[in-house]
Amino acid sequence: MRTRMRGWRWRQNPLRRSSDVVEAWTALVVAVLLCVGAPLAGALVGLWAHDQARAVATVERAERHRVRAVVVGSIPEQLPSVQGGDREHAYQVDVRWSEPGKGTRTAPARVPAGTRTGDVVDVWFDRQGHGVAPPPTEVAVWQHAVTVGICGASGAAAVVLLGHGVVRRVALRHRLAEWEQEWARTGPDWTRGRA
């Protein structure tokens, strides 16, 4: 029958070594860092990423404008594969729209998958008139922030656990060395009578 003594590393006893105390304090620090530090790091990184993504979205909204246009180009027979995970805008085709005071314009633009010739679509252009993706929405900004925050918290937790593993390995080596020293002192007393 095993008796488990809780907190023996914290109490004074003849079996406790300095490495046991270090390991006990390390476990406490690791628990605090995992429960408080990692989530806090993730929240801070997520808020930083949100501010950065929001700034980029604001700049893109200022530099891009939406146009309601008619698809006039021929739709490709075989659509190219979607690159960059942008499933909403799968390919480029010529579109035509009218601008007040400038007349009718035609330019290639990215249009949603499934668009046919003659359909009216919303397309985005930059200041140079090149077809571009729409600026990120607030939902996309938050998704980016949450993803970066989760990665930040996970990274912090991984660093804490890696550090804990290193400390435990060093403490184990130190403990074995302490036991070896103790055995060198007490071993001859135990084995002398049998020899």
Side-chain angles (χ1 to χ4, degrees):
M1 184 173 191
R2 256 173 58 177
T3 304
R4 188 170 189 108
M5 294 202 37
R6 297 191 186 278
W8 68 271
R9 288 184 171 123
W10 298 99
R11 295 187 210 133
Q12 282 288 59
N13 69 61
L15 297 177
R16 186 182 76 170
R17 306 281 182 245
S18 60
S19 58
D20 296 326
V21 176
V22 169
E23 196 170 350
W25 279 105
T26 302
L28 180 65
V29 170
V30 165
V32 169
L33 288 176
L34 287 177
C35 293
V36 177
L40 184 61
L44 292 175
V45 170
L47 289 173
W48 172 82
H50 180 265
D51 291 343
Q52 296 296 318
R54 182 175 258 176
V56 167
T58 301
V59 168
E60 287 186 3
R61 280 189 207 107
E63 292 177 347
R64 299 175 182 189
H65 63 281
R66 182 174 55 188
V67 173
R68 197 102 171 116
V70 176
V71 177
V72 293
S74 59
I75 305 301
E77 293 275 334
Q78 187 171 8
L79 299 178
S81 63
V82 178
Q83 294 183 3
D86 191 6
R87 299 183 191 282
E88 202 172 299
H89 297 83
Y91 55 93
Q92 284 199 345
V93 67
D94 288 337
V95 295
R96 181 176 295 144
W97 73 97
S98 297
E99 288 186 11
K102 294 185 180 178
T104 303
R105 292 189 58 196
T106 303
R110 293 167 30 139
V111 296
T115 304
R116 296 187 183 99
T117 303
D119 288 352
V120 177
V121 294
D122 288 330
V123 292
W124 291 82
F125 292 96
D126 60 12
R127 290 182 178 168
Q128 290 78 32
H130 299 108
V132 293
T137 63
E138 191 63 27
V139 171
V141 169
W142 275 108
Q143 286 174 339
H144 173 73
V146 168
T147 301
V148 171
I150 289 172
C151 290
S154 300
V159 167
V160 167
L161 292 174
L162 180 66
H164 181 60
V166 169
V167 169
R168 285 192 65 178
R169 182 173 291 252
V170 170
L172 176 63
R173 284 186 185 165
H174 191 67
R175 183 181 306 115
L176 291 175
E178 286 177 328
W179 285 348
E180 198 66 37
Q181 288 172 357
E182 288 290 324
W183 182 250
R185 276 189 297 161
T186 60
D189 292 340
W190 286 69
T191 57
R192 192 176 316 148
R194 294 183 186 160

